[in-house]
Structure formats: structure tokens, C-alpha cells
Amino acid sequence: LKDYFFQTDFWRSVRSGKNDIVYGAKGAGKSAIYMSLVNDIDSLFDESILVSLAENTQGDTAFSNLTNDPPTSETEFIRLWKLYFLVITSRVLEEYDIKDKSASKIRQILTDCNLVPAQNKLASFLKVCYDFMKSFRNGKEISTTAEFDSMTGMYSGQKFSLSFGEPSKNDFDKGLIPIEYAFDLLVKSLTENNIDLWIIIDRLDVAFLESEELEANALRALFKAYLDLAQYKSIKIKIFLRDDIWQKITSEGFREASHITKYQNLSWSKDTLLNLLIRRLLDNEILVENYNLDKETILSSIEEQEKLFYRLFPAQVDLGAKKPTTLDWALSRTKDGKGINTPRELIQLFTHARTRELKKLETGVNNLENEQIISRQSLKEAIEDVSKQRIEQTIYAEFPELKDYIEKLRDDKADHVLETLSKKWSLSTSETEQIAKELEKIGFLEQRGTISSPKYRIPFLYRPYLDILQ
């Protein structure tokens, strides 16, 4: 990723601290920005920014064990997020040998509350937080494990204990600490060391995959915790989330959404996608040398970038006066039903085409013309690979309940109306309309026509794999 990543305005907006929330379609580049921050942890620390990762960058998600015994309410989830952020940040403070008075007191509070796990793993940190948080069940603001005097009913103060409510002065003096005070200590430590804290979290689309209800509760609580912690100027929570998941949790009602202002939605145009491809090409020093390319001149002009594109690729994939140019063809073939193009499918197309071209050259088949590096034939064949990858690894993997409906459209035409879909699926008109809406949401169907008389089209992206006819 370090080799291919380039610094877009989206990236600069996050890296500069201007925006905290990044939305975008799957494949739009959210995780690329996230991983660039992960790869930049040392550089960020040199800039006085401490980074705390709230999710594993790969492998099992830290939240996988929550599925079996999830928090019972949104309030529990908000408390869990705050506690978890505090605990993982304390670990990072210790890793960077930040041991001032405030940091040491946070560590002591967490130790007394059994919030320091034996294993230095995020799943272990989350487990101790959840176990502790469960002692606040039934709306309690003070842990049932906190020690109270049997005679007076007041906190005995034998050791520190966290509270989600406001304790009396007497209880506070004896060690009953509200969690807001713990965050005040954290801010004090950050201020004394002249650093800011970024807590960053990605992979939320797989963290709660087992249950839509759990996902909705968890993510709404996450954004409420984000808003609650926004009062601390030296603490920033950076959240990377798919836009369809955000739309799903807000469609059910989420008043706090209007208060979230420091966000950006990743979107790509024809020019920015062309720029992406050209930058990847110019990263290949062999191409640059053999074609005598001036990187600076090419990147300074979108016209020069398009000129280079058509020097290395054919002018058209399908020949004919009314046929699109290759770049337009590639964009139309990798666009979903919502009209969205992302870097992922476009890069996959050219990567698969490169692989197919190499196989041809290895067997003595050379369809290349002039200075081309990829032929029309290889691009045509590569769209089959992209289509297969998109359906099997995204659509079927994430929405298995819709697979049968999609498969029943195999070997058929690209355009449908409710009547033809109803016959294909053996459903009533109202049931068919509901399934069609679900397929629209995931970008498998493009709605055309009118609201009263809808028509549906299967995008080019999905046609090769399903043998769909024009």
C-alpha cells in the first residue's frame, strides 16, 4: 500500500485533523486512508500525535466475542465504547513511556478495577471492559463490585472504582471516580506532554456482521460516544465506515446525526480515477524509463494523463463509431447500480487484464498494437474476472440471503419490470418489489422508469458472471 498510495484531498483532510469521519462505498479507499495512518504512526508521533488503534488491522475483529453475549441496551454500548477507548489509550501511553502523574493515576484506577488484561490484545481489552461494564446492569451508575460500608451505605474507598454517574464528594474523595474525570486526567496528561490523541477504528463492516440489530446498536452508540468525547479538544476519534451502513443506521432514526459535522464522503470522478491509474503507471520505473516519461509534466495536466493513457491502451475496446472510448468503457463496466465507480474494481480490471496479457505473451500470442501494453482482447476478458470477483466475494459473501434471487436471473436479459421479476422469483408483486428494493440498495439493480411503473436494469458489472444478455 505504501508503494501505491497517493495523497488525495480526502487523505489530506483526515491527515491534517480537519475531518474525523470517513464514509464511502466498498472499495472507495477508506481502508487505504486508514492504513496510511497506521503506517504513519511513528511520523504522527513525531508531529505530537499519539495514535491508538481500536481495531485489529487484519485477522479476527476485536469485537467477535460480543456476538454471543452483546450489551443489552444502547446505554451499555455507549459506556462500553468510552471505557474501551480509555483502556486502550492507557496501554498506548505506557508503550510510549508516558508516566506523568495523571497517566499513572489512570493506570492505577484501571488496575484497581481489573481493567488490565493478562494478554496485550484488543479482544482481551474489550473483554475486561465488558465484564466490568456488566456490573452496571439494570441502569446502575455505580458498579456492583464497588465496596460500600455496610453500616453507612457509603463507598468504603478501599481502592479506586469507576462510576458512570456523579458520586458524592465524600465517595469521590475515597476513590469513586466518574469516567469523565478519568478522561479529564487523560487530557491533562496529553496537555502536559504537549501531544494530541487520535483513536482510529476501521473494519466496522465486519465487526458486527452476525447481527444487523447488534450492528445498529453498536454503531449508533459509537457515534454518541464520539459526540460525548468531542468536548475534549486534544482527543479525536477517527471512524471509517461504509456509506451503506451509515445510511442503514440513520434510516431507522438517529437525531444525533445532524451534530456530526467533521466528516467527508469519498467519491470518485472520471478525472480522479484516471489520475489514480496514471499515478500507478508512473510508479513503474521500467515503464517510465522505456517510454521516456516526464512524471511532473504528466501529473500537472489531466490532458497529458489522458494522452498517456491512450498511448499505452487501445482507443476503444469495442470498435465502432458509436462505441465508447476505452476509459469510458472501463468505467461503465465497473460501475454498480447506484452509479458508483470505486478504485477497487477499476484497479482489478487492469490488474486482471495485465495477467491475461502476460499469459498470451508467454504462449506466443501478441495482440498489442503500436506502444500498447494491454490489448482490447485482454481488457474484454478481464471484465469477466472482475464480475466474478464482485459477485462471489462481495455480493454473495455479504448478502447470502439474496443469492437465490440473483441466480434466478442467470442466462436472462438485463432489463426487467416487476412482472418479469415476479415470474422469475415466483413471488407476489409486493414481495417482488421488496426484494427489488433490497437489490437496489446493494447496487445490483439500477432502477429506471418511474416510481409508479419502475423498470430495473442489471449493470454491466454483473452481466459476464451471470451470462446476462443485453
Side-chain angles (χ1 to χ4, degrees):
L1 182 64
K2 273 188 176 181
D3 292 337
Y4 288 115
F5 185 81
F6 71 94
Q7 299 174 4
T8 61
D9 287 337
F10 300 130
W11 175 87
R12 280 186 282 272
S13 178
V14 176
R15 185 66 166 73
S16 66
K18 179 183 176 183
N19 284 327
D20 299 330
I21 317 294
V22 179
Y23 305 121
K26 188 179 181 72
K30 302 177 307 302
S31 293
I33 296 175
Y34 167 81
M35 284 306 300
S36 78
L37 296 181
V38 174
N39 292 333
D40 254 6
I41 282 179
D42 290 339
S43 299
L44 284 164
F45 187 71
D46 292 339
E47 298 168 29
S48 300
I49 297 170
L50 189 66
V51 175
S52 179
L53 301 181
E55 177 57 289
N56 299 316
T57 55
Q58 57 187 356
D60 289 340
T61 171
F63 302 89
S64 56
N65 292 329
L66 277 185
T67 308
N68 300 325
D69 180 25
T72 57
S73 68
E74 196 173 274
T75 299
E76 281 195 359
F77 246 130
I78 295 170
R79 291 174 172 181
L80 180 59
W81 282 117
K82 290 181 180 179
L83 196 58
Y84 180 59
F85 291 155
L86 182 66
V87 169
I88 61 174
T89 298
S90 178
R91 175 194 67 166
V92 175
L93 291 175
E94 192 170 34
E95 286 176 353
Y96 279 86
D97 203 30
I98 298 172
K99 295 178 180 177
D100 56 89
K101 189 176 178 181
S102 298
S104 299
K105 187 168 183 179
I106 294 172
R107 186 72 178 175
Q108 186 60 54
I109 293 169
L110 298 180
T111 301
D112 288 350
C113 293
N114 293 318
L115 286 168
V116 181
Q119 295 188 80
N120 190 22
K121 298 193 304 184
L122 289 177
S124 300
F125 283 94
L126 187 69
K127 185 180 186 308
V128 294
C129 290
Y130 188 41
D131 289 344
F132 180 76
M133 194 275 303
K134 282 194 290 188
S135 66
F136 292 84
R137 285 262 160 100
N138 302 319
K140 293 182 181 293
E141 294 183 337
I142 297 172
S143 168
T144 54
T145 62
E147 299 175 25
F148 291 87
D149 186 279
S150 59
M151 299 293 291
T152 65
M154 297 182 70
Y155 182 66
S156 63
Q158 292 176 349
K159 60 181 180 179
F160 285 120
S161 185
L162 281 171
S163 164
F164 286 100
E166 188 60 41
S168 67
K169 184 179 185 307
N170 195 26
D171 285 347
F172 176 79
D173 291 340
K174 289 182 178 179
L176 190 59
I177 306 296
I179 194 163
E180 288 79 9
Y181 180 77
F183 275 101
D184 289 339
L185 288 173
L186 175 56
V187 170
K188 191 174 180 182
S189 174
L190 295 171
T191 304
E192 286 179 10
N193 290 279
N194 196 31
I195 54 176
D196 287 335
L197 169 69
W198 287 5
I199 300 170
I200 62 175
I201 183 166
D202 186 31
R203 301 183 70 207
L204 289 164
D205 54 332
V206 296
F208 308 101
L209 201 57
E210 301 295 325
S211 166
E212 283 194 14
E213 184 182 0
L214 177 64
E215 179 181 70
N217 285 338
L219 296 181
R220 275 196 290 265
L222 171 60
F223 282 102
K224 286 182 179 179
Y226 163 84
L227 290 170
D228 286 350
L229 297 175
Q231 63 181 298
Y232 304 108
K233 301 303 180 187
S234 56
I235 300 175
K236 293 183 183 295
I237 301 172
K238 305 278 185 181
I239 303 171
F240 297 81
L241 184 67
R242 269 183 22 201
D243 56 2
D244 59 320
I245 296 177
W246 171 248
Q247 289 160 11
K248 190 185 342 179
I249 65 173
T250 54
S251 65
E252 298 169 7
F254 188 50
R255 287 174 297 180
E256 289 80 359
S258 60
H259 301 296
I260 298 170
T261 57
K262 299 180 71 174
Y263 70 89
Q264 61 189 40
N265 205 321
L266 296 184
S267 59
W268 295 80
S269 66
K270 178 179 176 179
D271 285 349
T272 55
L273 288 167
L274 171 61
N275 181 254
L276 171 71
L277 289 173
I278 296 302
R279 284 179 181 273
R280 287 178 73 103
L281 280 165
L282 294 177
D283 191 64
N284 187 321
E285 292 301 332
I286 295 173
L287 279 177
V288 170
E289 184 179 338
N290 279 273
Y291 284 80
N292 194 26
L293 304 177
D294 184 332
K295 291 185 183 182
E296 194 172 328
T297 300
I298 293 168
L299 291 176
S300 67
S301 164
I302 194 68
E303 289 78 15
E304 288 295 323
Q305 292 168 43
E306 190 168 359
K307 185 176 171 184
L308 174 59
F309 180 88
Y310 287 109
R311 181 180 171 188
L312 301 178
F313 301 104
Q316 290 181 303
V317 174
D318 297 317
L319 299 177
K322 295 185 178 180
K323 297 296 184 182
T325 58
T326 295
L327 184 58
D328 287 336
W329 177 92
L331 293 176
S332 70
R333 264 62 181 174
T334 56
K335 182 168 57 177
D336 73 1
K338 292 186 282 188
I340 295 173
N341 279 110
T342 66
R344 180 174 295 176
E345 275 72 36
L346 193 64
I347 290 168
Q348 284 174 354
L349 172 63
F350 284 90
T351 302
H352 286 305
R354 173 186 175 276
T355 301
R356 285 182 175 264
E357 199 67 62
L358 284 170
K359 286 181 180 177
K360 284 182 172 62
L361 293 171
E362 286 167 2
T363 54
V365 178
N366 189 342
N367 296 316
L368 297 171
E369 301 173 9
N370 304 318
E371 295 183 288
Q372 292 173 10
I373 60 172
I374 304 277
S375 64
R376 291 196 304 272
Q377 291 85 345
S378 292
L379 283 165
K380 262 187 176 179
E381 293 166 8
I383 198 63
E384 297 177 13
D385 300 318
V386 176
S387 182
K388 175 181 171 69
Q389 199 166 342
R390 171 75 175 198
I391 292 182
E392 290 184 349
Q393 295 182 18
T394 299
I395 301 295
Y396 288 170
E398 296 186 20
F399 310 100
E401 71 280 4
L402 296 174
K403 180 177 178 179
D404 286 345
Y405 299 107
I406 293 172
E407 283 295 332
K408 285 178 181 177
L409 301 176
R410 185 179 285 278
D411 296 317
D412 207 329
K413 295 179 180 178
D415 292 289
H416 289 274
V417 292
L418 283 175
E419 288 77 11
T420 61
L421 291 175
S422 179
K423 185 181 286 188
K424 278 283 179 184
W425 295 336
S426 302
L427 296 174
S428 67
T429 302
S430 61
E431 290 171 324
T432 299
E433 194 169 12
Q434 187 58 44
I435 296 300
K437 283 180 180 177
E438 292 300 314
L439 292 172
E440 269 185 76
K441 281 182 188 177
I442 66 171
F444 179 79
L445 287 181
E446 175 191 356
Q447 186 178 347
R448 305 163 77 87
T450 64
I451 295 175
S452 58
S453 182
K455 296 179 181 179
Y456 303 93
R457 172 168 289 178
I458 299 170
F460 285 113
L461 177 59
Y462 304 111
R463 295 182 196 176
Y465 178 80
L466 295 169
D467 297 315
I468 297 293
L469 305 174
Q470 177 67 27

